[in-house]
Amino acid sequence: MHKILRDKRLWITLILLVPALIQFFPILYMVSLSFKQGVEVFAFPPTVFPNSLKFDNYEAALKAAPVGRLFNSLVQATAITLLQVFTAILAALPRWRARSLQAKTVSRRSLLP
């Protein structure tokens, strides 16, 4: 019985792996394009992996883009997210305590005759 379940799980995993790889391929291709030079990007037939890793594209992008604005947005987004998580925890605390007290009360009642 366990072998049948194990085989079934294996087949389900393999079947689900195919769409996962199909969805992952564009991300892999996009990252590999970022390491290619201009001539290699437009080459036919296209290649998935670059011939050599070049970080010049990242250097040019950081020089062209205003990094200060990006840092400001990152700080603001992080602060907002942390405050929202903190507020959600504070809102959930009374509900959690009520369930905890209710569970203790039920267990104590079950001990009484």
Side-chain angles (χ1 to χ4, degrees):
M1 183 70 177
H2 293 292
K3 186 177 187 311
I4 294 171
L5 285 175
R6 201 171 350 137
D7 290 344
K8 187 176 180 181
R9 286 183 183 168
L10 177 67
W11 280 108
I12 290 172
T13 302
L14 290 175
I15 289 170
L16 292 175
L17 192 62
V18 172
L21 290 175
I22 290 172
Q23 290 181 349
F24 180 69
F25 181 75
I27 297 169
L28 173 69
Y29 189 67
M30 179 182 60
V31 170
S32 72
L33 277 178
S34 70
F35 290 111
K36 294 180 180 181
Q37 294 300 321
V39 176
E40 200 175 356
V41 169
F42 297 109
F44 187 80
T47 58
V48 176
F49 299 106
N51 293 332
S52 62
L53 292 177
K54 307 267 185 185
F55 293 95
D56 299 338
N57 295 337
Y58 288 102
E59 185 179 332
L62 288 175
K63 285 182 182 176
V67 180
R69 276 189 181 166
L70 179 67
F71 182 72
N72 185 22
S73 299
L74 182 67
V75 169
Q76 184 178 5
T78 303
I80 289 171
T81 302
L82 290 175
L83 286 172
Q84 286 180 342
V85 168
F86 180 71
T87 305
I89 289 171
L90 288 178
L93 187 62
R95 189 172 183 136
W96 173 76
R97 290 199 60 175
R99 282 187 182 175
S100 176
L101 290 174
Q102 185 180 15
K104 287 179 184 176
T105 305
V106 170
S107 65
R108 288 182 187 154
R109 285 184 186 165
S110 63
L111 295 176
L112 296 175

